[in-house]
Amino acid sequence: ACTTGSQQSEANNQGGGEALSEADLAGQTIGFIPGVNDPFYISMQCAIEETAAEYGMEVSVQIPEQFEAAVQTPIVNSMIATDPAALLIAPTDGTALQPPLKQAVDAGIPVGLVDTTLDDPSLAFTSVATDNELGGAAAADALADLIGGEGKVLVIAFKAGASTSDARQKGFEDQIAAHEGIEYLGAQINDNDPAKAASIVQASLAANPDLAGVFATNLFAAQGAATGLRNAGAEGDVKIVGFDAGATQVEQLERDDVQALVAQKPGDIGRQAVEQTVAELTGGEVTPEIGTETVVLTQENLSSMQDAIYQESC
Ligand code: T6T
């Protein structure tokens, strides 16, 4: 059993440090770099802090002001300089964040990916995320249902190059193709800006007055899409399926500005990422890839699904 333990620790401990005992974890710091400041990542952060505290560990959080690789990269560099025991990060771009995270690993800091992933995630000891393609497919079926299987639909992709945006779009596109009565108008990018999502929806509606539905791939895309429809006086006529379940989105669902929300489980992602970090640091068995669930919120099930709504603070 002893030999297995040390073999595991060598194999898993990619940062190259000595495996710690569980007691040694107390006082160690996990760095956490989310994509941006939003209720999804706040909920994840709360779970990370809570789980880390169970091991006596600290969490050092640095939050990019925008969901942008150019903003996140210097944060990674400054986090490396503080030499945390491990780093958990949601890379905002699968390509651009590869080199800075390789530097973290080269500096002996094990890296775990949460939510988004990298083009080559093999540098990370674990990747914990929603199955975003499946979530996109669920959104396609929900939207098809809402529009009675007929009409024009649009995708608002929140950020090209962010793995979650790309995967939700792909899952939606693959699945919507199976609905013969639906005409897919393609995807437009809102750069994580709700105002841009609103203007995309208003312009699409002007060009296609018979627009039937919108799939908005994250919290800010969905919030903005709903605002855009309301500005155009088309709320409720054009159906919206959004991803995520922040308080504003849930209010929009209650008002019928949005008809369905694909809610992720950011708390599960955060908790499991810390459990994997503990395994990594103590030479335990690490799971390289963990998928977490989504649930679809509608006006009908909302009252029984209050736990699925994201936190605005811990
Ligand atoms: O949808 C989440 C997250 O999964 C995505 O990667 C970025 O946007 C959110 O944080 C919502 O704003």
Side-chain angles (χ1 to χ4, degrees), residues 2-294:
C2 252
T3 329
T4 311
S6 75
Q7 275 169 353
Q8 264 175 1
S9 85
E10 268 170 47
N12 294 337
N13 207 332
Q14 295 184 356
E18 290 287 300
L20 302 172
S21 73
E22 217 171 287
D24 291 335
L25 291 174
Q28 299 277 347
T29 300
I30 297 175
F32 174 49
I33 305 177
V36 77
N37 187 16
D38 72 21
F40 171 81
Y41 291 118
I42 290 170
S43 306
M44 189 186 296
Q45 180 184 332
C46 298
I48 288 174
E49 288 174 344
E50 207 179 288
T51 314
E54 289 167 16
Y55 295 93
M57 299 181 84
E58 315 279 333
V59 182
S60 161
V61 187
Q62 289 195 45
I63 307 175
E65 292 222 353
Q66 285 115 36
F67 194 96
E68 279 290 343
V71 179
Q72 197 179 36
T73 298
I75 293 179
V76 173
N77 294 334
S78 75
M79 189 67 92
I80 293 173
T82 68
D83 194 27
L87 171 60
L88 296 176
I89 181 168
T92 48
D93 185 286
T95 308
L97 267 296
Q98 195 93 41
L101 291 175
K102 167 89 168 50
Q103 274 178 14
V105 172
D106 289 347
I109 302 165
V111 171
L113 303 177
V114 285
D115 175 44
T116 46
T117 188
L118 293 171
D119 293 348
D120 177 8
S122 65
L123 64 75
F125 61 87
T126 192
S127 301
V128 188
T130 297
D131 187 332
N132 287 287
E133 271 198 40
L134 204 66
D141 286 337
L143 191 59
D145 240 27
L146 284 162
I147 63 173
E150 269 175 38
K152 295 179 179 171
V153 301
L154 170 78
V155 169
I156 301 183
F158 75 86
K159 190 96 196 166
S163 64
T164 46
S165 183
D166 294 345
R168 290 168 201 170
Q169 180 183 337
K170 180 177 188 301
F172 181 90
E173 287 173 348
D174 289 351
Q175 187 71 12
I176 209 74
H179 297 273
E180 281 175 7
I182 293 181
E183 183 183 342
Y184 177 47
L185 298 178
Q188 292 189 52
I189 296 159
N190 77 310
D191 277 320
N192 218 34
D193 177 0
K196 206 161 166 184
S199 47
I200 289 171
V201 164
Q202 285 176 256
S204 304
L205 197 58
N208 299 281
D210 56 345
L211 181 69
V214 178
F215 169 43
T217 56
N218 86 342
L219 193 144
F220 298 111
Q223 268 177 214
T227 307
L229 279 189
R230 189 161 266 275
N231 291 345
E235 72 275 11
D237 297 341
V238 180
K239 306 300 181 195
I240 300 182
V241 175
F243 224 86
D244 295 308
T248 308
Q249 291 174 287
V250 170
E251 280 164 29
Q252 290 173 329
L253 180 66
E254 285 168 336
R255 274 207 304 270
D256 200 37
D257 288 2
V258 169
Q259 285 68 38
L261 295 173
V262 181
Q264 307 186 73
K265 300 202 165 167
D268 283 1
I269 296 176
R271 188 175 43 74
Q272 299 213 54
V274 174
E275 296 295 358
Q276 292 305 309
T277 304
V278 166
E280 170 68 14
L281 294 175
T282 57
E285 203 172 321
V286 177
T287 309
E289 210 181 320
I290 296 177
T292 54
E293 285 181 348
T294 54

